[in-house]
Amino acid sequence: MISNWLTTTFGIKYPIILAPMFLVSNDKMLIEAYKNGIIGCIPALNYRTPEEFETALKELKINCDGKFGINLIVNKSNIHLKKQLEVLVRNPPAFVITSLGSPEQTIKLLKPKGVKIFCDVVDVEYSLKVEKLGADALIAVNSGAGGHAGNIATSILIPMLKEHCKIPVISAGGVGTGAGLLSALALGADGVSIGSPFIATIESGVSQEYKQAIVDYGAENIVMSTKISGSPCSVIETPYVKKIGLNQNLLESFLSHNKTAKKYVKMLTYYKGMKAVENAAFGATYKTVWVAGPSIEFVHKVETVQVIIERLINEYQKAYDDLCSKNQKS
Ligand SMILES: Cc1cc2nc3c(=O)[nH]c(=O)nc-3n(C[C@H](O)[C@H](O)[C@H](O)COP(=O)(O)O)c2cc1C
């Protein structure tokens, strides 16, 4: 057991969040996370209708003893936000992670229900804003994260946020080993949020091809592309990704900066990109756009969620013991 703010807040054994991943996370993964001493989070958008979302929340409440989180996209691109919030008010989870926008409304509606509100952040300025609004913790998305990554390396971002903010900091990005977990905690993180390594699990619902790609490719094959959503997103450099290039073409770029066209172009880019990601996640297509971060480097086969958690904890213990014995010798 590792005892800190995250473990005592949720009554879990290890300070790890199984990170929310669009299209990838599912109920089975959350239940396995709960059974194995960590806590999982799932994007509300992974449920197709508010009814499906509400049913899942009721079942997760029973199957995870209430220990799970929901991720909400809180900007205008999420046309289901109002409905999702209504469902969450009726079925409050342990925590909510907000991304891509202001958490104000989420905090107002869900904090009184006892829900902890965590916010995705990439810098100090925004962290101070969400702290002022009443966020309970920061999800510090660093430059090594899978999905929409930040610009700042973990070794800088965590101490920087700890210096300026009072609320706890959860480090998101680049943890693929127990030593990685130890180093994030040593830097001052109150927990870590791990995504990419869990894509290649028996429980995840994505295609075998996607899972195998997580095994076959490594850190050197991860590139940042603005083609997918308009913002930098980490993807595996498959032949298709190489072919389409990483940046928007001149016309796309011109239109996305044009005052009148901007809104529509951004929405269209996002929609087209997400459709491509969805097709590649579930089916066989030559248009392989697989979202993942460099921590896939340490994935060597498709395993269960339980095996990955056990490996991380054993490695953590070994890294900790090695460090202590080295210090004693010197
Ligand atoms: C395939 C994939 C999908 C993701 N989808 C979301 C999402 O829907 N919402 C969100 O807040 N973060 C999303 N993320 C980011 C993760 O929640 C987490 O911050 C990230 O995976 C941490 O970095 P790691 O992959 O190195 O562990 C996604 C990441 C991946 C790899």
CSV table of all heavy atoms in Angstrom, one decimal, residues 18-25 42-46 71-73 97-100 120 139-142 144-148 171-176 193-199 210 233-234 270 277 290-296, ligand 1:
chain,number,residue,atom,x,y,z
A,18,LEU,N,-6.8,5.2,-13.5
A,18,LEU,CA,-6.8,4.6,-14.8
A,18,LEU,C,-7.5,5.7,-15.6
A,18,LEU,O,-8.7,6.0,-15.5
A,18,LEU,CB,-7.6,3.3,-14.9
A,18,LEU,CG,-7.4,2.4,-16.1
A,18,LEU,CD1,-7.9,1.0,-15.9
A,18,LEU,CD2,-8.0,3.0,-17.4
A,19,ALA,N,-6.7,6.4,-16.5
A,19,ALA,CA,-7.1,7.6,-17.1
A,19,ALA,C,-8.3,7.5,-18.1
A,19,ALA,O,-8.4,6.4,-18.7
A,19,ALA,CB,-5.9,8.2,-17.9
A,20,PRO,N,-9.1,8.5,-18.2
A,20,PRO,CA,-10.2,8.5,-19.2
A,20,PRO,C,-9.7,8.5,-20.6
A,20,PRO,O,-8.8,9.3,-20.9
A,20,PRO,CB,-11.0,9.7,-18.9
A,20,PRO,CG,-10.0,10.7,-18.3
A,20,PRO,CD,-9.1,9.8,-17.5
A,21,MET,N,-10.1,7.6,-21.4
A,21,MET,CA,-9.7,7.5,-22.8
A,21,MET,C,-10.9,7.4,-23.7
A,21,MET,O,-11.6,6.4,-23.7
A,21,MET,CB,-8.7,6.4,-23.1
A,21,MET,CG,-7.3,6.6,-22.4
A,21,MET,SD,-6.2,5.3,-22.7
A,21,MET,CE,-6.7,4.0,-21.6
A,22,PHE,N,-11.1,8.4,-24.6
A,22,PHE,CA,-12.2,8.4,-25.5
A,22,PHE,C,-12.1,7.1,-26.4
A,22,PHE,O,-11.1,6.8,-26.9
A,22,PHE,CB,-12.0,9.7,-26.4
A,22,PHE,CG,-13.1,9.8,-27.5
A,22,PHE,CD1,-14.4,9.8,-27.1
A,22,PHE,CD2,-12.8,10.0,-28.8
A,22,PHE,CE1,-15.4,10.0,-28.1
A,22,PHE,CE2,-13.7,10.1,-29.8
A,22,PHE,CZ,-15.1,10.1,-29.4
A,23,LEU,N,-13.2,6.5,-26.5
A,23,LEU,CA,-13.4,5.2,-27.2
A,23,LEU,C,-12.8,4.0,-26.6
A,23,LEU,O,-13.2,2.9,-26.8
A,23,LEU,CB,-12.9,5.3,-28.7
A,23,LEU,CG,-13.4,6.5,-29.5
A,23,LEU,CD1,-12.7,6.6,-30.8
A,23,LEU,CD2,-14.9,6.3,-29.8
A,24,VAL,N,-11.8,4.2,-25.8
A,24,VAL,CA,-11.0,3.0,-25.2
A,24,VAL,C,-11.6,2.6,-23.9
A,24,VAL,O,-11.9,1.4,-23.7
A,24,VAL,CB,-9.5,3.4,-25.1
A,24,VAL,CG1,-8.8,2.2,-24.4
A,24,VAL,CG2,-8.9,3.8,-26.4
A,25,SER,N,-11.8,3.5,-22.9
A,25,SER,CA,-12.2,3.1,-21.6
A,25,SER,C,-13.6,2.5,-21.6
A,25,SER,O,-14.5,3.0,-22.4
A,25,SER,CB,-12.3,4.4,-20.7
A,25,SER,OG,-11.1,5.1,-20.8
A,42,ILE,N,-13.9,7.3,-16.8
A,42,ILE,CA,-14.4,7.1,-18.2
A,42,ILE,C,-15.0,8.3,-18.8
A,42,ILE,O,-15.7,9.0,-18.1
A,42,ILE,CB,-15.4,5.9,-18.2
A,42,ILE,CG1,-15.7,5.5,-19.6
A,42,ILE,CG2,-16.6,6.1,-17.4
A,42,ILE,CD1,-16.5,4.1,-19.7
A,43,PRO,N,-14.7,8.6,-20.0
A,43,PRO,CA,-15.4,9.8,-20.7
A,43,PRO,C,-16.9,9.5,-20.8
A,43,PRO,O,-17.3,8.5,-21.3
A,43,PRO,CB,-14.7,9.9,-22.0
A,43,PRO,CG,-13.5,9.1,-22.0
A,43,PRO,CD,-13.7,8.0,-21.0
A,44,ALA,N,-17.7,10.5,-20.4
A,44,ALA,CA,-19.1,10.4,-20.6
A,44,ALA,C,-19.5,10.2,-22.1
A,44,ALA,O,-20.4,9.5,-22.4
A,44,ALA,CB,-19.8,11.7,-20.1
A,45,LEU,N,-18.6,10.7,-23.0
A,45,LEU,CA,-18.9,10.5,-24.4
A,45,LEU,C,-18.7,9.1,-24.9
A,45,LEU,O,-19.1,8.8,-26.0
A,45,LEU,CB,-17.9,11.5,-25.2
A,45,LEU,CG,-18.3,12.9,-25.2
A,45,LEU,CD1,-17.2,13.7,-25.9
A,45,LEU,CD2,-19.6,13.2,-25.8
A,46,ASN,N,-18.2,8.2,-24.0
A,46,ASN,CA,-18.1,6.8,-24.5
A,46,ASN,C,-19.4,6.1,-24.4
A,46,ASN,O,-19.6,5.0,-24.9
A,46,ASN,CB,-17.1,6.1,-23.6
A,46,ASN,CG,-15.6,6.4,-24.0
A,46,ASN,OD1,-15.4,7.3,-24.8
A,46,ASN,ND2,-14.7,5.6,-23.6
A,71,ASN,N,-15.3,11.6,-17.0
A,71,ASN,CA,-14.6,12.7,-17.6
A,71,ASN,C,-15.6,13.5,-18.5
A,71,ASN,O,-16.3,12.9,-19.3
A,71,ASN,CB,-13.5,12.2,-18.5
A,71,ASN,CG,-12.9,13.2,-19.4
A,71,ASN,OD1,-12.7,12.9,-20.6
A,71,ASN,ND2,-12.5,14.3,-19.0
A,72,LEU,N,-15.6,14.8,-18.3
A,72,LEU,CA,-16.5,15.6,-19.1
A,72,LEU,C,-15.8,16.6,-20.0
A,72,LEU,O,-14.9,17.3,-19.5
A,72,LEU,CB,-17.4,16.4,-18.2
A,72,LEU,CG,-18.6,15.8,-17.4
A,72,LEU,CD1,-19.3,16.8,-16.5
A,72,LEU,CD2,-19.6,15.1,-18.3
A,73,ILE,N,-16.1,16.6,-21.2
A,73,ILE,CA,-15.6,17.7,-22.1
A,73,ILE,C,-16.5,18.9,-21.8
A,73,ILE,O,-17.7,18.8,-22.1
A,73,ILE,CB,-15.6,17.3,-23.6
A,73,ILE,CG1,-14.9,16.0,-23.9
A,73,ILE,CG2,-15.1,18.4,-24.5
A,73,ILE,CD1,-13.4,16.0,-23.8
A,97,ILE,N,-13.5,14.5,-13.9
A,97,ILE,CA,-12.3,15.2,-14.5
A,97,ILE,C,-12.9,16.1,-15.6
A,97,ILE,O,-13.5,15.6,-16.6
A,97,ILE,CB,-11.3,14.3,-15.1
A,97,ILE,CG1,-10.7,13.4,-14.0
A,97,ILE,CG2,-10.2,15.1,-15.8
A,97,ILE,CD1,-9.6,12.4,-14.5
A,98,THR,N,-12.7,17.4,-15.6
A,98,THR,CA,-13.1,18.3,-16.7
A,98,THR,C,-12.0,18.5,-17.6
A,98,THR,O,-10.8,18.7,-17.2
A,98,THR,CB,-13.7,19.6,-16.1
A,98,THR,OG1,-12.6,20.4,-15.5
A,98,THR,CG2,-14.8,19.5,-15.1
A,99,SER,N,-12.3,18.6,-18.9
A,99,SER,CA,-11.3,18.9,-19.9
A,99,SER,C,-11.8,19.9,-20.9
A,99,SER,O,-13.0,20.0,-21.2
A,99,SER,CB,-10.6,17.7,-20.5
A,99,SER,OG,-11.5,16.7,-20.7
A,100,LEU,N,-10.8,20.6,-21.5
A,100,LEU,CA,-11.1,21.5,-22.6
A,100,LEU,C,-12.0,22.7,-22.4
A,100,LEU,O,-12.7,23.1,-23.3
A,100,LEU,CB,-11.6,20.7,-23.9
A,100,LEU,CG,-10.7,19.6,-24.4
A,100,LEU,CD1,-11.4,18.9,-25.6
A,100,LEU,CD2,-9.3,20.2,-24.9
A,120,ASP,N,-8.2,19.1,-15.9
A,120,ASP,CA,-7.1,19.0,-16.8
A,120,ASP,C,-6.4,20.3,-16.9
A,120,ASP,O,-7.1,21.3,-17.3
A,120,ASP,CB,-7.5,18.5,-18.2
A,120,ASP,CG,-7.6,17.0,-18.3
A,120,ASP,OD1,-7.2,16.3,-17.3
A,120,ASP,OD2,-8.1,16.5,-19.3
A,139,ILE,N,-5.2,17.9,-12.7
A,139,ILE,CA,-4.7,16.8,-13.5
A,139,ILE,C,-3.6,17.5,-14.4
A,139,ILE,O,-4.0,18.1,-15.4
A,139,ILE,CB,-5.7,16.1,-14.4
A,139,ILE,CG1,-6.9,15.5,-13.5
A,139,ILE,CG2,-5.1,15.0,-15.2
A,139,ILE,CD1,-6.6,14.3,-12.7
A,140,ALA,N,-2.4,17.3,-14.0
A,140,ALA,CA,-1.3,18.0,-14.7
A,140,ALA,C,-0.8,17.3,-15.9
A,140,ALA,O,-0.1,16.3,-15.8
A,140,ALA,CB,-0.1,18.2,-13.7
A,141,VAL,N,-1.3,17.7,-17.1
A,141,VAL,CA,-1.1,17.0,-18.3
A,141,VAL,C,0.3,17.4,-18.9
A,141,VAL,O,0.4,18.6,-19.3
A,141,VAL,CB,-2.2,17.2,-19.3
A,141,VAL,CG1,-2.0,16.3,-20.6
A,141,VAL,CG2,-3.6,16.8,-18.7
A,142,ASN,N,1.2,16.6,-18.9
A,142,ASN,CA,2.6,17.0,-19.3
A,142,ASN,C,2.9,16.7,-20.8
A,142,ASN,O,2.0,16.1,-21.5
A,142,ASN,CB,3.6,16.3,-18.4
A,142,ASN,CG,3.6,14.8,-18.4
A,142,ASN,OD1,3.7,14.2,-19.5
A,142,ASN,ND2,3.4,14.2,-17.3
A,144,GLY,N,4.6,14.5,-22.1
A,144,GLY,CA,4.7,13.0,-22.5
A,144,GLY,C,3.4,12.3,-22.5
A,144,GLY,O,3.4,11.1,-22.5
A,145,ALA,N,2.3,13.0,-22.4
A,145,ALA,CA,1.0,12.4,-22.2
A,145,ALA,C,0.4,11.9,-23.6
A,145,ALA,O,0.7,12.4,-24.6
A,145,ALA,CB,0.0,13.4,-21.6
A,146,GLY,N,-0.4,10.8,-23.4
A,146,GLY,CA,-1.1,10.3,-24.6
A,146,GLY,C,-2.3,11.2,-24.8
A,146,GLY,O,-2.9,11.8,-23.9
A,147,GLY,N,-2.8,11.4,-26.1
A,147,GLY,CA,-3.9,12.2,-26.4
A,147,GLY,C,-3.5,13.7,-26.5
A,147,GLY,O,-2.4,13.9,-27.0
A,148,HIS,N,-4.3,14.6,-26.0
A,148,HIS,CA,-3.9,16.0,-26.1
A,148,HIS,C,-2.9,16.4,-25.0
A,148,HIS,O,-3.3,16.5,-23.9
A,148,HIS,CB,-5.2,16.9,-26.0
A,148,HIS,CG,-6.0,16.8,-27.2
A,148,HIS,ND1,-7.3,16.3,-27.2
A,148,HIS,CD2,-5.8,17.2,-28.5
A,148,HIS,CE1,-7.8,16.3,-28.4
A,148,HIS,NE2,-7.0,16.9,-29.2
A,171,SER,N,-0.3,13.7,-11.6
A,171,SER,CA,0.5,13.8,-12.8
A,171,SER,C,0.0,12.9,-13.9
A,171,SER,O,-0.2,11.7,-13.7
A,171,SER,CB,2.0,13.4,-12.5
A,171,SER,OG,2.7,13.5,-13.7
A,172,ALA,N,-0.3,13.5,-15.1
A,172,ALA,CA,-0.8,12.7,-16.2
A,172,ALA,C,0.2,12.7,-17.4
A,172,ALA,O,0.5,13.8,-17.9
A,172,ALA,CB,-2.1,13.2,-16.7
A,173,GLY,N,0.7,11.5,-17.7
A,173,GLY,CA,1.5,11.4,-18.9
A,173,GLY,C,2.9,10.7,-18.6
A,173,GLY,O,3.6,11.1,-17.7
A,174,GLY,N,3.2,9.7,-19.5
A,174,GLY,CA,4.5,9.2,-19.5
A,174,GLY,C,4.8,8.1,-18.4
A,174,GLY,O,6.0,7.7,-18.4
A,175,VAL,N,3.9,7.8,-17.6
A,175,VAL,CA,4.2,6.7,-16.6
A,175,VAL,C,3.9,5.3,-17.2
A,175,VAL,O,2.7,5.0,-17.4
A,175,VAL,CB,3.4,7.0,-15.3
A,175,VAL,CG1,3.7,5.8,-14.3
A,175,VAL,CG2,3.8,8.3,-14.7
A,176,GLY,N,4.9,4.6,-17.4
A,176,GLY,CA,4.7,3.2,-18.0
A,176,GLY,C,5.4,2.2,-17.1
A,176,GLY,O,5.4,1.0,-17.4
A,193,SER,N,-2.1,9.6,-13.3
A,193,SER,CA,-3.2,9.2,-14.1
A,193,SER,C,-2.5,8.5,-15.3
A,193,SER,O,-1.7,9.1,-16.1
A,193,SER,CB,-4.0,10.4,-14.6
A,193,SER,OG,-5.0,10.1,-15.4
A,194,ILE,N,-2.8,7.2,-15.5
A,194,ILE,CA,-2.2,6.5,-16.6
A,194,ILE,C,-3.2,6.0,-17.6
A,194,ILE,O,-4.2,5.4,-17.3
A,194,ILE,CB,-1.5,5.2,-16.0
A,194,ILE,CG1,-0.5,5.6,-14.9
A,194,ILE,CG2,-0.8,4.4,-17.0
A,194,ILE,CD1,0.3,4.5,-14.2
A,195,GLY,N,-2.9,6.3,-18.9
A,195,GLY,CA,-3.8,5.9,-20.0
A,195,GLY,C,-3.2,4.9,-20.9
A,195,GLY,O,-3.5,3.7,-20.9
A,196,SER,N,-2.3,5.3,-21.8
A,196,SER,CA,-1.8,4.5,-22.9
A,196,SER,C,-1.5,3.1,-22.7
A,196,SER,O,-1.9,2.2,-23.4
A,196,SER,CB,-0.6,5.2,-23.6
A,196,SER,OG,-0.9,6.5,-24.0
A,197,PRO,N,-0.8,2.7,-21.6
A,197,PRO,CA,-0.5,1.3,-21.4
A,197,PRO,C,-1.7,0.4,-21.2
A,197,PRO,O,-1.7,-0.8,-21.5
A,197,PRO,CB,0.3,1.3,-20.1
A,197,PRO,CG,0.9,2.7,-20.0
A,197,PRO,CD,-0.1,3.6,-20.6
A,198,PHE,N,-2.9,1.0,-20.8
A,198,PHE,CA,-4.1,0.3,-20.6
A,198,PHE,C,-4.9,0.0,-21.9
A,198,PHE,O,-5.9,-0.6,-21.9
A,198,PHE,CB,-5.0,0.9,-19.6
A,198,PHE,CG,-4.4,0.8,-18.1
A,198,PHE,CD1,-3.8,1.9,-17.5
A,198,PHE,CD2,-4.5,-0.4,-17.5
A,198,PHE,CE1,-3.3,1.7,-16.2
A,198,PHE,CE2,-4.0,-0.6,-16.2
A,198,PHE,CZ,-3.4,0.5,-15.5
A,199,ILE,N,-4.4,0.6,-23.0
A,199,ILE,CA,-5.1,0.4,-24.3
A,199,ILE,C,-5.0,-1.1,-24.7
A,199,ILE,O,-5.9,-1.7,-25.1
A,199,ILE,CB,-4.6,1.3,-25.4
A,199,ILE,CG1,-4.7,2.8,-25.1
A,199,ILE,CG2,-5.3,1.0,-26.7
A,199,ILE,CD1,-4.0,3.7,-26.0
A,210,TYR,N,-5.3,-2.4,-33.1
A,210,TYR,CA,-4.9,-1.2,-32.2
A,210,TYR,C,-4.1,-1.7,-31.0
A,210,TYR,O,-3.0,-1.2,-30.7
A,210,TYR,CB,-6.2,-0.5,-31.8
A,210,TYR,CG,-6.1,0.8,-31.1
A,210,TYR,CD1,-4.8,1.5,-30.9
A,210,TYR,CD2,-7.2,1.5,-30.7
A,210,TYR,CE1,-4.8,2.7,-30.3
A,210,TYR,CE2,-7.2,2.8,-30.1
A,210,TYR,CZ,-6.0,3.4,-29.9
A,210,TYR,OH,-5.9,4.6,-29.3
A,233,CYS,N,-2.1,16.4,-30.9
A,233,CYS,CA,-2.6,15.1,-30.3
A,233,CYS,C,-1.5,14.0,-30.6
A,233,CYS,O,-1.0,13.9,-31.7
A,233,CYS,CB,-3.9,14.8,-30.9
A,233,CYS,SG,-4.7,13.3,-30.2
A,234,SER,N,-1.2,13.2,-29.6
A,234,SER,CA,-0.1,12.2,-29.9
A,234,SER,C,-0.7,10.9,-30.5
A,234,SER,O,-1.7,10.4,-30.1
A,234,SER,CB,0.6,11.8,-28.6
A,234,SER,OG,-0.3,11.1,-27.7
A,270,TYR,N,-12.6,18.7,-36.3
A,270,TYR,CA,-12.7,17.9,-35.1
A,270,TYR,C,-13.6,16.7,-35.4
A,270,TYR,O,-13.3,15.5,-35.1
A,270,TYR,CB,-13.4,18.7,-34.0
A,270,TYR,CG,-13.4,18.1,-32.6
A,270,TYR,CD1,-12.3,18.1,-31.8
A,270,TYR,CD2,-14.6,17.5,-32.1
A,270,TYR,CE1,-12.3,17.5,-30.6
A,270,TYR,CE2,-14.6,16.9,-30.9
A,270,TYR,CZ,-13.5,16.9,-30.1
A,270,TYR,OH,-13.5,16.2,-28.9
A,277,VAL,N,-10.5,8.5,-36.0
A,277,VAL,CA,-10.0,7.8,-34.8
A,277,VAL,C,-10.9,6.7,-34.4
A,277,VAL,O,-10.5,5.6,-34.1
A,277,VAL,CB,-9.8,8.8,-33.6
A,277,VAL,CG1,-9.6,8.1,-32.3
A,277,VAL,CG2,-8.7,9.8,-33.9
A,290,TRP,N,-4.1,5.9,-34.7
A,290,TRP,CA,-4.2,5.3,-33.4
A,290,TRP,C,-3.6,6.3,-32.4
A,290,TRP,O,-2.4,6.6,-32.4
A,290,TRP,CB,-3.5,4.0,-33.3
A,290,TRP,CG,-4.2,2.9,-34.0
A,290,TRP,CD1,-5.5,2.6,-34.0
A,290,TRP,CD2,-3.6,1.9,-34.9
A,290,TRP,NE1,-5.8,1.5,-34.8
A,290,TRP,CE2,-4.6,1.0,-35.3
A,290,TRP,CE3,-2.2,1.6,-35.3
A,290,TRP,CZ2,-4.4,-0.1,-36.1
A,290,TRP,CZ3,-2.0,0.5,-36.1
A,290,TRP,CH2,-3.1,-0.3,-36.5
A,291,VAL,N,-4.5,6.8,-31.5
A,291,VAL,CA,-4.0,7.7,-30.4
A,291,VAL,C,-3.3,7.0,-29.3
A,291,VAL,O,-3.8,6.0,-28.8
A,291,VAL,CB,-5.2,8.5,-29.8
A,291,VAL,CG1,-4.8,9.4,-28.7
A,291,VAL,CG2,-6.0,9.3,-30.9
A,292,ALA,N,-2.1,7.4,-29.0
A,292,ALA,CA,-1.3,6.8,-27.9
A,292,ALA,C,-0.1,7.7,-27.6
A,292,ALA,O,0.3,8.5,-28.4
A,292,ALA,CB,-0.8,5.4,-28.3
A,293,GLY,N,0.4,7.5,-26.3
A,293,GLY,CA,1.6,8.3,-25.9
A,293,GLY,C,2.8,7.5,-25.8
A,293,GLY,O,2.8,6.2,-26.0
A,294,PRO,N,4.0,8.1,-25.6
A,294,PRO,CA,5.3,7.4,-25.6
A,294,PRO,C,5.4,6.3,-24.5
A,294,PRO,O,6.3,5.4,-24.6
A,294,PRO,CB,6.3,8.5,-25.3
A,294,PRO,CG,5.6,9.7,-25.2
A,294,PRO,CD,4.1,9.5,-25.4
A,295,SER,N,4.5,6.3,-23.5
A,295,SER,CA,4.6,5.2,-22.5
A,295,SER,C,4.3,3.9,-23.0
A,295,SER,O,4.5,2.9,-22.3
A,295,SER,CB,3.7,5.6,-21.3
A,295,SER,OG,2.4,5.7,-21.7
A,296,ILE,N,3.8,3.7,-24.3
A,296,ILE,CA,3.6,2.4,-24.8
A,296,ILE,C,4.9,1.7,-25.0
A,296,ILE,O,4.9,0.5,-25.3
A,296,ILE,CB,2.8,2.5,-26.2
A,296,ILE,CG1,3.6,3.3,-27.3
A,296,ILE,CG2,1.5,3.1,-26.0
A,296,ILE,CD1,3.1,3.1,-28.7
B,1,LIG,C1,-6.4,6.9,-26.6
B,1,LIG,C2,-6.5,8.1,-25.7
B,1,LIG,C3,-7.7,8.8,-25.5
B,1,LIG,C4,-7.8,9.8,-24.6
B,1,LIG,N1,-9.0,10.4,-24.4
B,1,LIG,C5,-9.2,11.4,-23.4
B,1,LIG,C6,-10.4,12.0,-23.2
B,1,LIG,O1,-11.4,11.6,-23.8
B,1,LIG,N2,-10.5,12.9,-22.2
B,1,LIG,C7,-9.4,13.3,-21.5
B,1,LIG,O2,-9.5,14.2,-20.6
B,1,LIG,N3,-8.2,12.8,-21.7
B,1,LIG,C8,-8.1,11.8,-22.7
B,1,LIG,N4,-6.8,11.2,-22.9
B,1,LIG,C9,-5.7,11.6,-22.0
B,1,LIG,C10,-5.7,10.7,-20.7
B,1,LIG,O3,-6.8,10.9,-19.9
B,1,LIG,C11,-4.4,10.9,-19.9
B,1,LIG,O4,-4.2,12.2,-19.6
B,1,LIG,C12,-3.2,10.4,-20.7
B,1,LIG,O5,-3.4,9.1,-21.2
B,1,LIG,C13,-2.0,10.3,-19.8
B,1,LIG,O6,-0.8,9.9,-20.5
B,1,LIG,P1,-0.3,8.5,-20.8
B,1,LIG,O7,-1.1,8.0,-22.0
B,1,LIG,O8,1.1,8.6,-21.1
B,1,LIG,O9,-0.6,7.6,-19.6
B,1,LIG,C14,-6.7,10.2,-23.8
B,1,LIG,C15,-5.5,9.5,-24.0
B,1,LIG,C16,-5.4,8.5,-24.9
B,1,LIG,C17,-4.1,7.7,-25.0
